[in-house]
Amino acid sequence: MEFTVKQIAALLGGTVDGNDSLKINQLSKIEEGQEGSISFLANQKYEHFLYTTAASAVIVNKSFQPRQPVKATLIFVDNSYSAFTQLLEQVNGLRPVEKVGVEHPSYIAESTQVGDGIYRGAFSYIGEECRIGHNVKIYPQAYIGNKVTIGDHTVIHTGARILDNTVIGNHCVIKPNAVIGSEGFGFAPERDGTYRAIPQLGNVIIEDHVSIGANTTIDCATVGSTIIRQGVKLDNLIQVAHNVEIGKNTVMAAQSGIAGSAKLGENCVVGGQAGITGHIYLARGTKVGAQSGVMKKVKKEGISLSGSPAFDLQESLRSQVVYQRLPDVEKRIEELENKLKNQ
Amino acid sequence: MEFTVKQIAALLGGTVDGNDSLKINQLSKIEEGQEGSISFLANQKYEHFLYTTAASAVIVNKSFQPRQPVKATLIFVDNSYSAFTQLLEQVNGLRPVEKVGVEHPSYIAESTQVGDGIYRGAFSYIGEECRIGHNVKIYPQAYIGNKVTIGDHTVIHTGARILDNTVIGNHCVIKPNAVIGSEGFGFAPERDGTYRAIPQLGNVIIEDHVSIGANTTIDCATVGSTIIRQGVKLDNLIQVAHNVEIGKNTVMAAQSGIAGSAKLGENCVVGGQAGITGHIYLARGTKVGAQSGVMKKVKKEGISLSGSPAFDLQESLRSQVVYQRLPDVEKRIEELENKLKNQ
Amino acid sequence: MEFTVKQIAALLGGTVDGNDSLKINQLSKIEEGQEGSISFLANQKYEHFLYTTAASAVIVNKSFQPRQPVKATLIFVDNSYSAFTQLLEQVNGLRPVEKVGVEHPSYIAESTQVGDGIYRGAFSYIGEECRIGHNVKIYPQAYIGNKVTIGDHTVIHTGARILDNTVIGNHCVIKPNAVIGSEGFGFAPERDGTYRAIPQLGNVIIEDHVSIGANTTIDCATVGSTIIRQGVKLDNLIQVAHNVEIGKNTVMAAQSGIAGSAKLGENCVVGGQAGITGHIYLARGTKVGAQSGVMKKVKKEGISLSGSPAFDLQESLRSQVVYQRLPDVEKRIEELENKLKNQ
């Protein structure tokens, strides 16, 4: 890519302060700016970099007023963060067209139907009686089992494993080495101390516009379906157990997990390394802090939780503060006891 | 499948209350019952669904007495949960026979011996001098290194990686993308701040009837063996470090981890996201709560632990309760201090 | 291997107490010693095994004085742990030379350059315009995307996924099923509650002598690079988010994670299952305890932290102790309150 600052400002509907004929050939973070790069400033925390950055241009909010001289040319826009995202999308659109066609060797069962515009990478495997939509990309070494349905424009990355009977919607992304539809963890204890495997006959249903992170695992249901609703975004290394249901547009950060049969409402946000116990329900808009452990159902919408076990965020923050001075708390009690003894 | 309620009751040794000629063609959860489905009620928490379910039939405990009218036909049995499991097994037995034979291309070294009734999927790899038993299934894109031993009736799912010298018993299941026998995490600090890799010359031994979850990792020993005893069940995304030993019939939930050289006794239960530190021993029957961190050895059998660091479950629950009102605790101390000042 | 105790002592520069003509054919842990095995004693905790071990020989520190009779022959050295490591390296060197050459079928794009002495396993995939150094080993079913650079003597294990534009240095080890350079988890919330994917145009840079554990994930940067500096050692199942930078010789234990744009200094040590929040900086030599959650930047070097949220280790240990007796703390307050009431 190579654009002038003027061209970029026009694209973003922004106004320029400085030299608008400078040439831009890359995007950069503000602290890593170089001649020819354009960056952005949204988070106040990074403002001091603006006065030292070597970037040729920086996108800032209309409301922003520099408090020191700035060497870089500025582009003022309504929202610098989303303007930069727009620029990222523009540059992304310039990247070479993604792969189409079939690489060899790759495996596909005869009973499987495939749409137009597909990419099937080398060493990819597609089992019996699958229905694969149009413009689907199945990267090298990915695995699709039997009776799997995949919608249009969905991408199955290298090493992802889509087990039997899984249904995946349109415009989904399944990242490398994710495992979808593996057997749920169901074992019935026997009298002699051993465990008997409970057959897992259900499946996984993933609706449209869902993103599943690398090495994330989503188990199939015992009966019925584990369901990931439209627009859900899951980060890497997440565990979703059998018969879980995740509501529309819910977002979960890396290494979090949900135990069997729990249900999350729409637009929940789950922090990294958080856990949600089985058979509970979290209402729409529940927010779970990083490393928290939710042990009880949440009926009211929009609640923020923190702690392990998790409770109300604001109360949790107050308990955290006192926790850090517990030795002092105990000392104060001792002093009180001594005083009373001496009375 | 299609059965009458009468046929199912006969299979389960139950008695029918309602229309026993209804046709059943699927299993369902009670809250997702439909015409033609059979469900079960075991957990009281779900009783209210019984009075509204659209399922044609529901399996309940002999001792159960409905408190409202029920539309569904009921089948009374000794234990509704295990009866339903029996039904799951029955339906599972009706599924098409699993694959046998060799798909091409697949790779097997000449020096390796393979038993009868094997399935080797496309793009699977088996290295030198392995001994693979009878009726073993090695799914597409699975990897078996050199000098690996695998017992009869064991399943190695797609993308699982079984590294050199691993020994796996009979009737085991290794789920997709699990990694068994990768090098342990052993590094010796050098004087200049760098680390030197300590060669990991041991292996992993997995006994019979073990189940290993998707994306779980079990490292080989430095010397000797990392050992997973008979009947152990490991969920997804678990870490088992070098030289760990997990006792017979121990069960671990997803995202839990065990550090190097720790030993767990028989029939332990480890909750999700829990951690066990290195070089300690947990006695038979130890129960570790979700997200707990066990830092000390547990000598007494059958102890339940919770918290990070973990201590006795009952005490931990009491501390949790007080923790949540710590700001109040501190306020009470302040009040006491003020009172005493004013005396 | 087969050596005499005398030969081993000569190799290690040690002195022998006992029969130096005994034959040694394997290494063992001291608690698993057998006739013909050699072991070592470094950790006092294991001293009692010395008096019962069946090992033929045991390496001990010069300063060590047995308190009971020892059956095994002893080899006294300066540092028994590093002497045993030296022995492990010696034995490791005796193992058959690792693979070289190309197995078929495997896939490599014509535009890619490969050095001498390479191993490319069956079903491995190498995309367009890569540069692969000398003596690189790419195990079966590994994936290398487009425009990837890999330095000399680096090992890419089976099932590892190296996505587009990644740069890996010399002498690195990428363990099975690790995913390097997958898209970062960046989504911008829209007004209608959905999320829009932010293109992730950056890459991952891994410097020399880095080890990446099995099933670990390292995401590419939004712009610029996620950077893993020289000598870093990452264990299994770790999450490294987009735009993170990990300083030279930092070590992280299994299942830990770092959120987006966080930076760790040199020689940090992060415990298992610990988490580090986004956009913060940890100074050189910071030590983070297992299961801790670091929420704030750490400016001072060499600080040890513990807890979730994490604070100073020593203070944290004191708070932990009081936490475990919180019910008692509350009771003491009640008693004080009662006493004051009765005055």
Side-chain angles (χ1 to χ4, degrees):
Chain A
M1 62 170 263
E2 183 164 287
F3 299 98
T4 63
V5 169
K6 193 176 179 178
Q7 287 173 314
I8 291 172
L11 172 76
L12 303 177
T15 56
V16 177
D17 180 4
N19 179 356
D20 70 359
S21 62
L22 290 176
K23 282 181 178 148
I24 299 298
N25 52 41
Q26 65 169 317
L27 310 184
S28 71
K29 291 189 287 176
I30 193 162
E31 67 269 37
E32 295 174 354
Q34 298 172 18
E35 202 187 307
S37 83
I38 186 165
S39 190
F40 76 110
L41 174 65
N43 185 337
Q44 232 183 316
K45 213 168 151 182
Y46 290 83
E47 181 181 336
H48 65 280
F49 288 117
L50 178 65
Y51 309 115
T52 57
T53 186
S56 295
V58 179
I59 304 167
V60 297
N61 286 329
K62 258 181 190 160
S63 58
F64 176 74
Q65 296 189 329
R67 293 178 298 180
Q68 293 178 34
V70 177
K71 207 189 119 205
T73 292
L74 296 181
I75 303 179
F76 289 89
V77 297
D78 284 339
N79 182 326
S80 63
Y81 181 69
S82 69
F84 193 74
T85 300
Q86 199 183 330
L87 211 54
L88 282 168
E89 287 170 348
Q90 199 70 20
V91 173
N92 196 32
L94 297 175
R95 293 212 280 192
V97 177
E98 291 190 57
K99 288 176 165 179
V100 176
V102 177
E103 292 170 356
H104 296 287
S106 52
Y107 184 101
I108 186 164
E110 276 188 26
S111 55
T112 276
Q113 297 168 24
V114 167
D116 298 333
I118 202 173
Y119 168 56
R120 291 199 290 114
F123 318 123
S124 64
Y125 184 99
I126 308 181
E128 304 281 350
E129 299 177 48
C130 297
R131 282 177 304 161
I132 312 290
H134 300 302
N135 302 310
V136 169
K137 300 196 189 311
I138 296 170
Y139 275 80
Q141 302 146 336
Y143 174 84
I144 319 275
N146 300 320
K147 301 188 181 177
V148 171
T149 301
I150 296 180
D152 299 343
H153 303 285
T154 281
V155 177
I156 311 293
H157 273 290
T158 173
R161 314 289 165 193
I162 316 297
L163 284 286
D164 295 1
N165 306 306
T166 299
V167 177
I168 301 181
N170 303 313
H171 296 283
C172 291
V173 177
I174 313 294
K175 293 187 182 167
N177 287 355
V179 176
I180 315 294
S182 183
E183 279 185 349
F185 192 65
F187 294 96
E190 303 281 290
R191 287 185 188 176
D192 62 356
T194 64
Y195 288 85
R196 189 162 52 134
I198 298 172
Q200 305 286 315
L201 303 180
N203 74 340
V204 174
I205 296 175
I206 294 177
E207 297 187 351
D208 299 343
H209 296 284
V210 169
S211 177
I212 306 291
N215 282 331
T216 281
T217 57
I218 303 179
D219 282 352
C220 77
T222 311
V223 293
S225 301
T226 304
I227 303 175
I228 315 295
R229 296 277 178 215
Q230 193 177 314
V232 166
K233 312 295 181 194
L234 301 186
D235 201 347
N236 300 338
L237 292 165
I238 288 174
Q239 155 73 353
V240 179
H242 53 153
N243 290 98
V244 162
E245 181 176 337
I246 304 183
K248 221 168 127 178
N249 299 325
T250 279
V251 172
M252 294 179 66
Q255 297 176 318
S256 55
I258 311 183
S261 300
K263 291 195 189 333
L264 273 64
E266 298 183 12
N267 285 93
C268 292
V269 177
V270 178
Q273 300 181 335
I276 293 159
T277 199
H279 295 275
I280 64 169
Y281 174 73
L282 304 193
R284 181 193 171 90
T286 302
K287 286 181 181 56
V288 179
Q291 296 191 328
S292 299
V294 186
M295 308 295 283
K296 291 181 192 163
K297 72 176 161 206
V298 177
K299 282 183 171 178
K300 208 180 148 188
E301 297 189 356
I303 299 289
S304 292
L305 299 170
S306 175
S308 174
F311 58 110
D312 176 81
L313 172 63
Q314 291 310 319
E315 292 179 28
S316 179
L317 292 174
R318 283 193 287 268
S319 283
Q320 281 171 22
V321 168
V322 183
Y323 174 81
Q324 297 195 12
R325 52 185 182 230
L326 273 186
D328 178 55
V329 164
E330 215 180 27
K331 202 177 293 169
R332 286 162 69 188
I333 295 175
E334 255 170 68
E335 285 168 9
L336 286 165
E337 288 169 339
N338 287 335
K339 271 194 194 171
L340 274 177
K341 246 187 236 162
N342 299 339
Q343 282 196 323
Chain B
M1 62 169 266
E2 185 166 284
F3 299 98
T4 62
V5 168
K6 193 174 175 178
Q7 287 174 313
I8 290 171
L11 172 75
L12 303 177
T15 56
V16 177
D17 180 4
N19 180 354
D20 70 357
S21 62
L22 291 175
K23 282 180 178 150
I24 299 298
N25 51 40
Q26 64 168 315
L27 309 185
S28 72
K29 291 189 287 176
I30 193 162
E31 67 269 35
E32 296 174 352
Q34 298 171 19
E35 203 187 307
S37 82
I38 186 165
S39 189
F40 76 109
L41 175 65
N43 185 337
Q44 233 184 314
K45 214 168 151 181
Y46 290 84
E47 181 182 335
H48 65 282
F49 288 118
L50 179 64
Y51 308 117
T52 56
T53 186
S56 295
V58 179
I59 303 166
V60 298
N61 287 329
K62 258 181 192 160
S63 58
F64 175 73
Q65 296 190 327
R67 292 177 298 180
Q68 294 178 31
V70 177
K71 206 186 118 206
T73 292
L74 297 180
I75 302 179
F76 289 90
V77 299
D78 283 339
N79 182 325
S80 63
Y81 181 70
S82 71
F84 193 73
T85 300
Q86 200 183 331
L87 211 55
L88 283 167
E89 286 170 348
Q90 198 71 19
V91 173
N92 196 33
L94 296 175
R95 294 211 280 192
V97 177
E98 291 189 57
K99 289 176 166 179
V100 176
V102 177
E103 292 170 357
H104 297 286
S106 53
Y107 184 101
I108 185 165
E110 276 188 29
S111 54
T112 275
Q113 296 168 25
V114 168
D116 298 332
I118 202 172
Y119 167 57
R120 290 199 291 114
F123 317 124
S124 64
Y125 184 100
I126 308 181
E128 304 281 350
E129 298 178 49
C130 297
R131 282 176 305 161
I132 313 289
H134 301 301
N135 303 307
V136 169
K137 300 195 188 312
I138 295 169
Y139 274 80
Q141 302 146 334
Y143 174 84
I144 319 274
N146 300 321
K147 301 188 182 177
V148 171
T149 302
I150 297 180
D152 299 343
H153 304 285
T154 281
V155 177
I156 310 294
H157 274 290
T158 173
R161 314 291 165 193
I162 316 297
L163 283 287
D164 295 359
N165 304 309
T166 298
V167 177
I168 301 181
N170 303 314
H171 296 282
C172 291
V173 177
I174 313 294
K175 292 186 181 167
N177 287 355
V179 176
I180 315 293
S182 183
E183 278 184 350
F185 192 66
F187 294 95
E190 303 281 289
R191 287 186 188 175
D192 61 356
T194 64
Y195 288 85
R196 188 162 53 134
I198 298 171
Q200 304 287 315
L201 303 180
N203 74 339
V204 174
I205 296 175
I206 295 177
E207 296 186 350
D208 299 343
H209 297 283
V210 169
S211 177
I212 306 291
N215 282 332
T216 281
T217 57
I218 303 179
D219 282 354
C220 78
T222 311
V223 292
S225 301
T226 303
I227 303 175
I228 315 295
R229 295 280 177 210
Q230 191 177 315
V232 166
K233 312 296 180 192
L234 301 186
D235 202 347
N236 301 337
L237 291 164
I238 289 174
Q239 155 74 355
V240 179
H242 53 154
N243 290 99
V244 162
E245 181 176 336
I246 304 183
K248 222 169 127 179
N249 299 323
T250 278
V251 172
M252 294 179 66
Q255 297 177 317
S256 56
I258 310 183
S261 299
K263 291 197 189 331
L264 273 63
E266 297 183 13
N267 287 93
C268 292
V269 177
V270 178
Q273 299 181 335
I276 293 159
T277 199
H279 295 276
I280 64 169
Y281 174 73
L282 304 193
R284 179 194 171 91
T286 301
K287 286 180 182 55
V288 179
Q291 295 191 328
S292 299
V294 185
M295 308 296 283
K296 289 181 193 163
K297 74 177 160 204
V298 177
K299 281 185 173 177
K300 208 181 148 189
E301 296 189 356
I303 299 290
S304 293
L305 300 170
S306 176
S308 174
F311 57 110
D312 177 81
L313 172 64
Q314 291 310 318
E315 292 178 29
S316 179
L317 292 174
R318 283 193 287 268
S319 282
Q320 282 172 19
V321 169
V322 183
Y323 174 80
Q324 298 196 9
R325 53 185 183 234
L326 272 186
D328 178 55
V329 163
E330 213 179 28
K331 203 178 294 170
R332 287 163 68 188
I333 295 176
E334 257 170 65
E335 284 168 11
L336 286 166
E337 288 168 338
N338 287 334
K339 272 195 195 171
L340 273 177
K341 246 186 236 160
N342 300 338
Q343 283 196 320
Chain C
M1 63 168 264
E2 184 165 288
F3 298 98
T4 62
V5 169
K6 192 174 178 179
Q7 287 173 314
I8 292 172
L11 172 75
L12 303 177
T15 56
V16 177
D17 179 3
N19 180 355
D20 69 359
S21 62
L22 291 175
K23 281 176 180 155
I24 299 298
N25 51 41
Q26 65 169 313
L27 309 184
S28 71
K29 292 189 288 179
I30 193 163
E31 67 269 37
E32 295 174 351
Q34 296 171 20
E35 202 187 308
S37 82
I38 187 165
S39 189
F40 76 110
L41 174 66
N43 185 337
Q44 231 183 315
K45 214 169 151 180
Y46 290 83
E47 181 182 336
H48 65 282
F49 288 117
L50 179 65
Y51 308 116
T52 57
T53 187
S56 295
V58 179
I59 303 166
V60 297
N61 287 329
K62 258 181 191 162
S63 57
F64 175 74
Q65 296 191 326
R67 292 177 299 179
Q68 293 178 32
V70 177
K71 207 187 119 208
T73 292
L74 296 180
I75 303 179
F76 290 90
V77 298
D78 283 340
N79 182 326
S80 62
Y81 181 69
S82 70
F84 193 74
T85 300
Q86 198 183 330
L87 212 53
L88 282 167
E89 287 170 346
Q90 198 70 18
V91 172
N92 196 32
L94 296 176
R95 294 212 280 193
V97 177
E98 292 190 57
K99 288 176 165 178
V100 176
V102 178
E103 293 170 355
H104 297 286
S106 53
Y107 183 101
I108 186 166
E110 275 189 29
S111 54
T112 275
Q113 297 168 25
V114 168
D116 299 332
I118 201 172
Y119 167 57
R120 291 200 291 113
F123 318 123
S124 64
Y125 184 100
I126 308 181
E128 304 280 351
E129 298 177 50
C130 297
R131 282 176 304 160
I132 313 289
H134 300 302
N135 303 308
V136 169
K137 299 196 189 311
I138 296 170
Y139 274 81
Q141 304 147 333
Y143 174 84
I144 319 275
N146 301 319
K147 301 189 182 177
V148 171
T149 301
I150 297 180
D152 299 342
H153 304 286
T154 281
V155 177
I156 311 294
H157 274 290
T158 173
R161 314 289 166 193
I162 315 297
L163 283 288
D164 294 1
N165 304 309
T166 299
V167 177
I168 301 181
N170 303 314
H171 296 283
C172 291
V173 177
I174 313 294
K175 293 187 182 168
N177 288 353
V179 177
I180 315 294
S182 184
E183 278 184 350
F185 193 65
F187 295 95
E190 303 281 290
R191 286 183 191 180
D192 61 357
T194 64
Y195 288 84
R196 188 160 54 133
I198 298 171
Q200 304 287 315
L201 304 180
N203 73 340
V204 174
I205 296 175
I206 294 177
E207 296 186 351
D208 299 343
H209 297 285
V210 169
S211 178
I212 307 291
N215 282 331
T216 281
T217 57
I218 303 178
D219 282 354
C220 77
T222 310
V223 293
S225 301
T226 303
I227 303 175
I228 315 294
R229 295 277 178 215
Q230 191 177 316
V232 166
K233 312 295 180 193
L234 301 186
D235 202 347
N236 300 338
L237 292 164
I238 288 173
Q239 155 73 354
V240 178
H242 53 154
N243 289 98
V244 162
E245 181 176 336
I246 304 182
K248 220 168 129 179
N249 299 325
T250 278
V251 173
M252 294 179 66
Q255 298 177 316
S256 56
I258 311 183
S261 299
K263 291 196 190 332
L264 273 63
E266 298 183 12
N267 286 93
C268 292
V269 177
V270 178
Q273 301 182 334
I276 293 158
T277 200
H279 294 273
I280 63 169
Y281 174 73
L282 304 194
R284 180 194 171 90
T286 301
K287 285 182 183 53
V288 179
Q291 296 192 327
S292 300
V294 185
M295 309 296 284
K296 292 182 192 162
K297 74 176 161 206
V298 177
K299 281 184 171 176
K300 207 180 148 189
E301 297 190 356
I303 298 290
S304 293
L305 299 169
S306 176
S308 173
F311 58 109
D312 176 81
L313 172 63
Q314 290 311 319
E315 292 179 27
S316 179
L317 292 174
R318 283 193 287 268
S319 283
Q320 282 172 20
V321 169
V322 184
Y323 174 81
Q324 298 197 9
R325 52 184 183 231
L326 272 186
D328 178 56
V329 163
E330 216 180 27
K331 201 177 295 168
R332 287 163 68 187
I333 295 176
E334 256 170 68
E335 286 168 8
L336 287 165
E337 288 168 337
N338 287 335
K339 271 194 194 170
L340 273 176
K341 246 186 237 164
N342 299 338
Q343 283 196 323

